Amino acid sequence: MSTDSTYFRVGEPLTDAAAPDGPISERWRRRRFEAKLVNPANRRRHTVIVVGTGLAGGAAGATLAEQGYRVVQFCFQDSPRRAHSVAAQGGINAAKDYRNDGDSVQRLFYDTVKGGDFRSRESNVHRLAEVSVEIIDQCVAQGVPFAREYGGLLDTRSFGGVQVARTFYARGQTGQQLLLGAYQALSRQIAAGRVEMHPRTEMLDLIVVDGRARGIVARDLVTGRVDPYFADAVVLASGGYGNVFHLSTNAKNSNATAVWRAHRRGAYFANPCFTQIHPTCIPRSGAHQSKLTLMSESLRNDGRIWVPRRAGDGRAPGDIPEEERDYYLERLYPSFGNLVPRDIASRAAKNVCDEGRGVGPGGQGVYLDFADALARLGRDAVAERYGNLFEMYERITAEDPYRVPMRIYPAIHYTMGGLWVDYDLQTTVPGLFAIGEANFSDHGANRLGASALMQGLADGYFVLPATLGDYLARGAAAGALGEVRHDHPAVHEAVFAVTDRLYALLSNNGDRTPESFHRELGALLWDACGMSRTEDGLRRARERILELHAGFWERVRVPGGGEQLNQSLEQANRVADYFELADLMCRDALHRDESCGGHFREESRTPEGEAQRDDERFGYVAAWEFAGAGEPPVLHREQLAFAYVHPTQRSYQ
């Protein structure tokens, strides 16, 4: 280990020892065949904890229980069906080529590697493309009501970053319908007694015994009771960390505590600065807001994005003639037009607004106009495709998008960073697995639209159930999965750490609310580590984050008690983790002196203003090791190799 700078140290290189070699199209088949199996009669002797009930967690819990394992599952919502996956709108990708437009597993693989700006693993992405075909069959069998064409075949539409129509959808509520499918499968296992469900319960720490993940410490959010739970393996399916920015498209309670506490227990955190800005969100309306609202990327299939050509043009959109409008995405990227990837569309929107050509209050918006689609297709056809989205927009803004263009602006949406996992989805802590948005593995520096649902279901239904058994079989054979008792020192230490932290928050007699700290931290992070980053801005942000963090423990005030429902305590506990995470995000963005995908360093751009990668110096996964409170983290580099998709400067022109 060597010292690289004042804000991090460099550790040993990291390799994915679970990744198979050989032809890429054979790797997943080989890995499944080579994996050790658990006898069906022995599976019921193994307990698996699953944290989260979204698409990844719900699919994993249902599938593992169906295989015969005993599953203990947790969600902080009052019902598994209220997980944030319900909010996904536009669709799910799969390489079925129903449109006969040239799609294939190879093309989905290529588009995803390119869309991630060559910062993802080829092996993982190819597996995802392969499994995508199986996901649709699984969901149709569960009764998911995908849209269909007149002849009865499943319908598809286009999404950003691709030139084929591979996105399956259920109007503007695809996530809800897919989650209901997983929830029904999970409910069947709950009724059968194979899944023990704990709603309104939040994981607050990981229990590591003899170097292996053997359980969690969780708090009942209604009674305040803190208890340890034990298992042979732990699966984190707790989603992403976008709410560190305070204003995002995520549900207000979505948080990073589960993955962050696992990070503090030894799980490396990979690429934390890779956060996605979604280009089609309803612009913020004031300081009172606690979250932002996503408008599906699918709207870009028929909506055209434009701003006035002249800066400061305050006329109503209907009063601006066609020749005085700038359809800037169609002008800059004629091959893809309004369907360029999210990172590119977001930066383009920011650029025109920075030029003074933005629309709406404060000039922080661009138009998404459906006039051409309404004239071409008619109102009924547009309503059939997007009616619920139009209704949602009108309820929030009091503007009718059938009559006036929508106003949209980019917002924090998805996080491509997460816990580092190997090909088996196992973290650097043996026995701890991370799936869905909780891991970093498949999207590189930018997620293409309609790929989050694909990855969550791939991990939960198909990948984890094949690889987890290998870990359990090897662990049982080695005698490493014996009983863990409540009086074990590691259990006592983890429970004490949780209760001591909660007591510290409750006993602090400060003068500021957790919300006020979260709002200030989020604004700081958005400005310095949001749509664009600079070295100076990141350094100043880190200094301010450290000051805020110290002030938090001096001035935060949490009313109420710990033996009851106390949402202020929940938020304070999460915000404390956000400070540490925000610091790591800035360190990661500061060390990565290049631009790629959603990470845009203003010092690193092409003459045309696009992201300029530096593959020679930064063609790796940055996996960060927690070295102790107050100590600089340790950077471990996993070098990326590209044998099937040669890295080039991304172009969507």
Side-chain angles (χ1 to χ4, degrees):
M1 185 182 298
S2 63
T3 301
D4 188 84
S5 73
T6 58
Y7 60 92
F8 72 92
R9 291 179 292 162
V10 177
E12 295 298 318
L14 189 61
T15 58
D16 180 5
D21 53 14
I24 198 168
S25 60
E26 296 294 317
R27 291 175 187 175
W28 178 227
R29 182 194 62 79
R30 280 187 51 206
R31 182 67 191 101
R32 284 181 295 173
F33 177 74
E34 293 171 356
K36 288 188 176 295
L37 302 177
V38 179
N39 185 304
N42 290 336
R43 291 176 192 164
R44 55 180 171 267
R45 302 176 186 174
H46 288 290
T47 300
V48 180
I49 284 175
V50 179
V51 179
T53 59
L55 284 180
T63 306
L64 292 172
E66 184 73 39
Q67 288 180 330
Y69 298 106
R70 179 174 179 268
V71 176
V72 183
Q73 195 148 4
F74 299 83
C75 67
F76 58 71
Q77 298 92 350
D78 56 359
S79 167
R81 65 177 291 180
R82 290 175 64 85
H84 186 59
S85 298
V86 74
Q89 298 168 345
I92 177 171
N93 288 331
K96 279 195 169 285
D97 195 27
Y98 283 171
R99 289 291 187 98
N100 195 29
D101 57 359
D103 201 10
S104 64
V105 167
Q106 177 67 18
R107 188 173 294 278
L108 175 54
F109 163 62
Y110 172 84
D111 287 342
T112 306
V113 172
K114 176 186 175 184
D117 217 353
F118 304 96
R119 291 294 177 262
S120 53
R121 294 181 185 142
E122 284 191 329
S123 292
N124 288 68
V125 176
H126 197 279
R127 175 175 65 187
L128 181 65
E130 293 177 62
V131 171
S132 72
V133 179
E134 302 173 55
I135 294 172
I136 302 302
D137 296 338
Q138 170 86 1
C139 294
V140 169
Q142 290 176 335
V144 174
F146 287 120
R148 293 181 180 268
E149 296 177 327
Y150 177 77
L153 293 177
L154 298 184
D155 196 14
T156 56
R157 56 191 178 197
S158 298
F159 256 62
V162 303
Q163 292 180 304
V164 295
R166 65 163 64 102
T167 304
F168 296 77
Y169 65 98
R171 295 191 77 190
Q173 50 187 241
T174 312
Q176 179 182 12
Q177 298 304 325
L178 291 171
L179 185 61
L180 288 174
Y183 173 65
Q184 290 175 116
L186 185 61
S187 297
R188 177 175 177 269
Q189 299 303 323
I190 295 172
R194 291 190 284 268
V195 173
E196 178 186 308
M197 179 57 64
H198 294 265
R200 303 301 297 273
T201 307
E202 183 173 21
M203 171 186 164
L204 296 182
D205 212 339
L206 179 72
I207 297 173
V208 180
V209 177
D210 297 330
R212 293 176 182 263
R214 294 303 308 274
I216 67 170
V217 179
R219 178 176 182 266
D220 186 311
L221 297 180
V222 177
T223 68
R225 182 184 173 98
V226 175
D227 286 303
Y229 298 85
F230 308 119
D232 298 312
V234 177
V235 179
L236 298 187
S238 51
Y241 50 91
N243 269 350
V244 67
F245 289 88
H246 185 262
L247 285 182
S248 79
T249 65
N250 291 268
K252 181 64 176 173
N253 279 341
S254 297
N255 65 88
T257 288
V259 293
W260 190 252
R261 301 297 171 83
H263 173 60
R264 289 176 63 95
R265 292 290 179 183
Y268 294 179
F269 207 113
N271 298 337
C273 78
F274 287 171
T275 52
Q276 182 173 77
I277 316 293
H278 197 294
T280 51
C281 300
I282 298 178
R284 65 186 69 188
S285 58
H288 63 281
Q289 283 185 267
S290 62
K291 74 177 299 294
L292 298 172
T293 303
L294 168 70
M295 299 306 295
S296 170
E297 182 178 323
S298 64
L299 294 169
R300 293 199 276 154
N301 273 277
D302 290 304
R304 299 180 68 193
I305 296 173
W306 63 276
V307 292
R309 289 188 178 276
R310 178 171 55 85
D313 191 336
R315 289 177 291 175
D319 295 335
I320 301 177
E322 193 75 12
E323 62 273 14
E324 296 181 34
R325 300 179 179 186
D326 180 13
Y327 295 89
Y328 58 90
L329 291 179
E330 299 174 27
R331 171 174 57 82
L332 294 171
Y333 310 101
S335 294
F336 285 75
N338 296 297
L339 287 173
V340 293
R342 292 175 177 178
D343 59 322
I344 291 175
S346 295
R347 284 196 295 272
K350 179 181 185 298
N351 290 340
V352 296
C353 290
D354 289 348
E355 293 169 1
R357 297 193 287 148
V359 301
Q364 296 295 297
V366 299
Y367 288 127
L368 180 60
D369 196 339
F370 287 85
D372 286 359
L374 289 165
R376 183 178 73 254
L377 302 171
R379 178 172 175 138
D380 290 345
V382 172
E384 183 179 352
R385 295 180 183 180
Y386 312 113
N388 62 312
L389 297 172
F390 278 39
E391 179 183 358
M392 180 172 68
Y393 180 88
E394 184 172 8
R395 287 185 177 183
I396 293 172
T397 66
E399 297 176 358
D400 182 0
Y402 291 104
R403 301 180 59 188
V404 297
M406 289 183 179
R407 288 179 295 107
I408 58 171
Y409 193 72
I412 293 291
H413 180 53
Y414 187 92
T415 52
M416 286 78 67
L419 293 185
W420 184 93
V421 293
D422 62 15
Y423 190 72
D424 288 351
L425 304 182
Q426 187 170 201
T427 70
T428 49
V429 177
L432 177 66
F433 295 77
I435 60 177
E437 195 178 354
N439 73 33
F440 87 99
S441 64
D442 292 358
H443 304 301
N446 173 62
R447 177 176 70 83
L448 290 182
S451 291
L453 306 185
M454 176 174 61
Q455 186 213 346
L457 292 181
D459 287 356
Y461 280 137
F462 298 104
V463 181
L464 180 75
T467 60
L468 180 66
D470 180 77
Y471 169 78
L472 295 173
R474 294 179 188 275
L481 301 179
E483 181 184 4
V484 177
R485 299 175 60 89
H486 280 73
D487 59 359
H488 192 286
V491 177
H492 176 77
E493 189 275 330
V495 173
F496 177 79
V498 168
T499 54
D500 185 60
R501 179 185 175 102
L502 295 175
Y503 176 79
L505 289 169
L506 287 165
S507 60
N508 202 46
N509 191 26
D511 60 355
R512 288 187 61 176
T513 65
E515 172 71 7
S516 71
F517 278 104
H518 191 188
R519 189 179 296 275
E520 187 173 353
L521 173 66
L524 173 67
L525 200 60
W526 170 256
D527 289 340
C529 197
M531 291 181 68
S532 64
R533 299 98 186 261
T534 65
E535 179 179 354
D536 182 60
L538 289 166
R539 291 188 184 278
R540 286 188 284 104
R542 281 203 59 239
E543 293 175 1
R544 181 57 183 149
I545 288 169
L546 295 177
E547 292 174 1
L548 269 180
H549 192 194
F552 173 83
W553 288 105
E554 294 173 359
R555 298 184 59 187
V556 71
R557 181 180 180 87
V558 180
E563 298 180 356
Q564 62 192 52
L565 176 65
N566 188 337
Q567 291 183 307
S568 183
L569 177 61
E570 294 172 35
Q571 184 180 23
N573 205 27
R574 296 163 183 169
V575 172
D577 292 327
Y578 285 149
F579 279 114
E580 296 180 356
L581 172 58
D583 180 51
L584 184 64
M585 292 170 66
C586 290
R587 293 177 196 251
D588 188 39
L590 192 56
H591 107 278
R592 190 173 284 275
D593 189 16
E594 65 162 353
S595 294
C596 56
H599 168 64
F600 190 76
R601 285 285 297 269
E602 292 185 12
E603 304 93 337
S604 183
R605 61 175 78 192
T606 67
E608 296 76 27
E610 303 290 354
Q612 179 66 61
R613 292 194 325 272
D614 187 340
D615 295 332
E616 184 175 346
R617 290 198 299 149
F618 296 102
Y620 58 77
V621 175
W624 297 90
E625 176 187 0
F626 180 73
E631 295 295 322
V634 180
L635 171 63
H636 299 271
R637 297 181 174 97
E638 179 200 344
Q639 202 66 37
L640 293 169
F642 295 93
Y644 294 86
V645 182
H646 182 66
T648 58
Q649 177 65 35
R650 272 199 312 167
S651 174
Y652 292 92
Q653 296 182 348

